[in-house]
Amino acid sequence: MTRSDVLRLAREGMGALPLYSPDLPACAVDLSDNTNLWGAPPAALRAMREAPVAALSRYPTLYSEPLRSALLDYVGLATAPDVGVVTGCGSDDVLDSTMRAFGAVGDSIAFSAPTFSMIPVLARLNGLTPLAIPFTKGFNVDAERLVDTKAKVTYICAPNNPTATPVSRAAVEYVVANASGIVLIDEAYAEFAPEVFTDLVAQDERVVVARTFSKAFGLAGLRVGYGVGANGVVRLIERARGPYKVNTLAERTVLAALDPSDDGLRWVCEHAALAVSSRERLIGELSQMGFVALPSAANFIMVPTPRAAELFRALSSRGVLVRAFTAMPQDLPVLAESNGAALRISVGPWEMMTTLLDTLRAVSS
Ligand SMILES: *Cc1c(COP(=O)(O)O)cnc(C)c1O
């Protein structure tokens, strides 16, 4: 068999699925992936260092049972009846498994676009048809159009990546009340947002909220995410996910990060608050330079500009890495004016923001 014969054995469409590869150069100041630029909670790093590594010759827990009550406590659902937790190798794993648990090949998943780039990829991988619905003016999700799709799964990213914009409670509640299937709310940036939607889990069995340790918790390298939902629902997602997805060290480290100590959970909350104040200051400084950011409820901002690609290159050649989006849908006036182009910039310690601003001044004049 020749090499090309072998490749023809692949599932239809596999070759066309993109790898997740923002093809980015290495830079001294990396503002490209919305991780915690202050680092990780010291208690978590200590738990990792002090782990009894002899235990590594055994399998981890099947489905992270020891994490479940700590996670329900953290999201404020400890006393909600019949609510459970599913964990995963990053929240990507939870999103992927939810699609697989509820969407049969040929079903569809509806979402507002532009959103998290993995969603259409995971959808296709699971045989689901992605249905991209434009945002309304003001970047709210178009609840009625999402509902009208009658999709098996409706995905809402709140706040939304890459725009950083919040989603209104009225829109989310309308979708939850009227959707035909599961409503998957991705709260990867919950810790930075003025409003979260975990309470809806206790009110409607079709709601699943996905969260992650990759952003505010500063533990992207550990790969831990989770979903909360009705017990029956999360146990189904777990079946689609498979056993042993969260490793022994990750489970131990995440438990320490959730501990309400000064260098555990309190560290996380304090640094999320620092990110929010850094963000507001950055938005202010940028507006004085003529760059108007979209309203942000996350630890990153989106700045529409037709010069996104050129500014990305100029910044990265000077050691500052951001993300450039160049082909976003142009239904909204602000993105039409920028030809669908924008920079996405992660927010971190003010010294890093100063480097960004100084470099941007140098390259954009
Ligand atoms: C970063 C991010 C995730 C998290 O992915 P992990 O697999 O948990 O690292 C999920 N959703 C959105 C919208 C994100 O931006």
Side-chain angles (χ1 to χ4, degrees), residues 84 293 316 318 349:
S316 59
R318 287 168 173 77

Side-chain angles (χ1 to χ4, degrees), residues 20-239:
Y20 185 74
S21 64
D23 202 5
L24 301 174
C27 282
V29 176
D30 185 343
L31 310 176
S32 72
D33 62 8
N34 309 337
T35 49
N36 189 330
L37 296 170
W38 283 270
L45 299 178
R46 200 163 54 241
M48 180 91 167
R49 265 195 312 275
E50 293 169 1
V53 289
L56 291 182
S57 53
R58 307 303 305 264
Y59 279 100
T61 58
L62 276 165
Y63 298 106
S64 317
E65 290 79 358
L67 275 180
R68 289 182 186 170
S69 63
L71 288 169
L72 285 177
D73 261 347
Y74 173 60
V75 298
L77 290 170
T79 58
D82 201 36
V83 166
V85 177
V86 53
T87 57
C89 177
S91 58
D92 283 8
D93 194 18
V94 175
L95 302 173
D96 180 34
S97 305
T98 305
M99 290 185 204
R100 198 156 48 250
F102 289 94
V105 171
D107 283 344
S108 46
I109 176 168
F111 52 86
S112 300
T115 195
F116 187 36
S117 62
M118 284 304 291
I119 295 304
V121 178
L122 294 173
R124 293 213 184 279
L125 203 50
N126 286 300
L128 303 186
T129 306
L131 300 176
I133 304 296
F135 279 96
T136 64
K137 279 205 197 70
F139 284 97
N140 207 352
V141 300
D142 193 332
E144 285 183 25
R145 283 191 66 189
L146 284 174
V147 165
D148 286 347
T149 63
K150 304 219 178 328
K152 196 65 171 293
V153 182
T154 303
Y155 171 85
I156 298 176
C157 192
N160 185 54
N161 182 4
T163 56
T165 45
V167 178
S168 81
R169 176 162 284 265
V172 176
E173 286 182 346
Y174 183 92
V175 173
V176 169
N178 297 289
S180 304
I182 291 290
V183 181
L184 179 54
I185 305 176
D186 186 343
E187 292 193 339
Y189 301 97
E191 286 79 6
F192 311 101
E195 184 172 40
V196 296
F197 300 107
T198 36
D199 57 299
L200 298 179
V201 164
Q203 291 168 30
D204 196 307
E205 295 194 329
R206 294 171 309 156
V207 178
V208 175
V209 173
R211 296 272 190 101
T212 180
F213 284 88
S214 297
K215 306 287 162 53
F217 279 84
L219 296 168
L222 269 194
R223 313 300 306 127
V224 185
Y226 57 101
V228 289
N231 258 314
V233 168
V234 294
R235 297 286 78 81
L236 274 173
I237 297 171
E238 213 158 59
R239 283 170 193 240

Side-chain angles (χ1 to χ4, degrees), residues 246-300:
V246 176
N247 70 70
T248 307
L249 290 179
E251 183 177 296
R252 180 187 162 90
T253 306
V254 156
L255 265 177
L258 287 168
D259 190 272
S261 60
D262 281 349
D263 53 0
L265 192 52
R266 218 162 287 139
W267 185 99
V268 174
C269 298
E270 282 165 16
H271 286 81
L274 283 177
V276 169
S277 57
S278 223
R279 175 185 84 201
E280 294 309 305
R281 202 171 157 192
L282 176 63
I283 289 174
E285 297 269 337
L286 285 170
S287 77
Q288 290 181 16
M289 298 169 61
F291 293 106
V292 181
L294 301 179
S296 169
N299 66 336
F300 62 94

Side-chain angles (χ1 to χ4, degrees), residues 24-32 310-324 343-346 351-361 363:
L24 301 174
C27 282
V29 176
D30 185 343
L31 310 176
S32 72
E310 164 210 338
L311 290 171
F312 163 81
R313 280 191 302 273
L315 287 169
S316 59
S317 73
R318 287 168 173 77
V320 178
L321 191 63
V322 298
R323 284 285 297 276
L343 294 176
R344 195 193 68 188
I345 305 169
S346 304
E351 312 84 81
M352 284 191 194
M353 302 297 96
T354 309
T355 307
L356 163 77
L357 288 164
D358 290 347
T359 314
L360 193 57
R361 269 184 211 105
V363 303

